[in-house]
Amino acid sequence: MCAIHQPNFFPRLSTLAKLFASDRWIVLDDVQFARRDYQHRARLAALDDPDRQQWLTLPTHLPHGRPTLINQALLAEPRRSRRTVSLLIRQFYGRSRHWPALSDVLDVVLDRFGTTDRVADLARTSTIALLTALGWSGEVLDSSTIPTRQSRSERLADLSLITSSTHYLCGAGGLRYLDHQPFATHGIPVVPFHTPENSADRLWQRARRVSSLWAMSEIGPAALAIRLAAEREAHLTGGLT
């Protein structure tokens, strides 16, 4: 089961849930960078009042202008960004009883600032650190290392095929544009993945807006892993039969 998704900086719970449900994350790192997306920013929600939110943004330089690919985007202010990331996450979640686990995630990301100036590396690292805290042990590959056709749906199908994936896990956004035919040609079923909508559950109400750091701070990584495993079971069983 593979999920193909752009690297997001401290991704939203909806994104993290999809990756957690997969066995393989193919990091879509060689498509155009989008400033209005989540590749270089995360929306933090306050621990005691999740409706109070603030963007955590990595100032980003695009060396090739608008056509710059995600894996080409560079940190504009590395030292300042590292300091801001540390201060804001501690400010928002330092009082959580689950802070030790979040602190470990944060330390991994802060250490990465010392070895790269690429935004995609930091986004990728933040996501893997969160998944690791949840006990996920899947495989991570970069799309930029895998030759494929260029048409959008054909490319996703090729990525699934070349990595020996038997199913493609597709989120709600991708389902709106996906052409299923290239997958059918390869005999790869497309499995829709949806997180709960209009839920009274506090955990999912803001899952498509705020960073999953809030959910981990709220219930801790062990409980969150159980919840995400339940979502995988509830939403994927039908797609795998």
Side-chain angles (χ1 to χ4, degrees):
M1 175 85 70
C2 79
I4 304 173
H5 202 281
Q6 298 169 6
N8 283 186
F9 191 53
F10 291 115
R12 296 162 292 165
L13 184 59
S14 57
T15 299
L16 196 69
K18 182 180 77 168
L19 300 182
F20 184 87
S22 70
D23 303 299
R24 176 179 297 116
W25 173 30
I26 302 175
V27 185
L28 195 61
D29 65 341
D30 55 351
V31 295
Q32 185 176 320
F33 181 90
R35 285 198 180 275
R36 294 184 178 274
D37 212 330
Y38 292 87
Q39 295 138 21
H40 69 311
R41 61 181 187 166
R43 194 194 303 267
L44 304 182
L47 185 60
D48 54 349
D49 179 10
D51 288 326
R52 180 169 64 85
Q53 300 170 7
Q54 180 175 340
W55 282 110
L56 170 59
T57 303
L58 301 175
T60 299
H61 169 61
L62 303 183
H64 306 294
R66 188 174 179 182
T68 299
L69 303 182
I70 292 174
N71 60 14
Q72 297 170 333
L74 303 175
L75 292 169
E77 304 173 46
R79 291 184 180 180
R80 180 180 175 187
S81 292
R82 185 185 187 281
R83 184 168 61 252
T84 300
V85 168
S86 179
L87 290 174
L88 268 184
I89 291 180
R90 290 176 188 278
Q91 175 185 327
F92 270 74
Y93 305 117
R95 293 181 292 104
S96 167
R97 62 191 179 94
H98 304 292
W99 172 248
L102 269 82
S103 180
D104 288 344
V105 170
L106 176 59
D107 286 345
V108 170
V109 176
L110 295 180
D111 287 346
R112 193 71 172 105
F113 274 94
T115 59
T116 187
D117 61 352
R118 297 189 179 270
V119 173
D121 291 342
L122 289 165
R124 187 181 190 273
T125 296
S126 72
T127 303
I128 294 173
L130 286 167
L131 288 168
T132 300
L134 296 172
W136 186 80
S137 57
E139 182 181 23
V140 181
L141 301 171
D142 294 327
S143 65
S144 56
T145 66
I146 304 170
T148 65
R149 292 172 290 177
Q150 292 305 305
S151 171
R152 179 183 285 182
S153 294
E154 288 180 340
R155 185 168 190 232
L156 297 178
D158 288 353
L159 287 170
S160 302
L161 177 69
I162 293 169
T163 58
S164 301
S165 300
T166 59
H167 296 73
Y168 172 55
L169 188 62
C170 188
L175 287 171
R176 289 195 292 268
Y177 68 76
L178 192 73
D179 178 2
H180 289 233
Q181 186 55 48
F183 291 88
T185 299
H186 294 319
I188 299 174
V190 174
V191 180
F193 185 83
H194 300 278
T195 52
E197 297 183 28
N198 304 318
S199 173
D201 188 326
R202 176 178 166 92
L203 191 70
W204 296 109
Q205 285 175 350
R206 302 163 187 84
R208 296 184 182 181
R209 285 180 55 81
V210 304
S211 169
S212 49
L213 288 170
W214 178 83
M216 190 173 288
S217 297
E218 176 78 358
I219 65 174
L224 184 58
I226 291 172
R227 297 290 297 274
L228 296 189
E231 285 302 315
R232 171 189 169 98
E233 204 60 33
H235 291 84
L236 303 186
T237 301
L240 293 175
T241 55

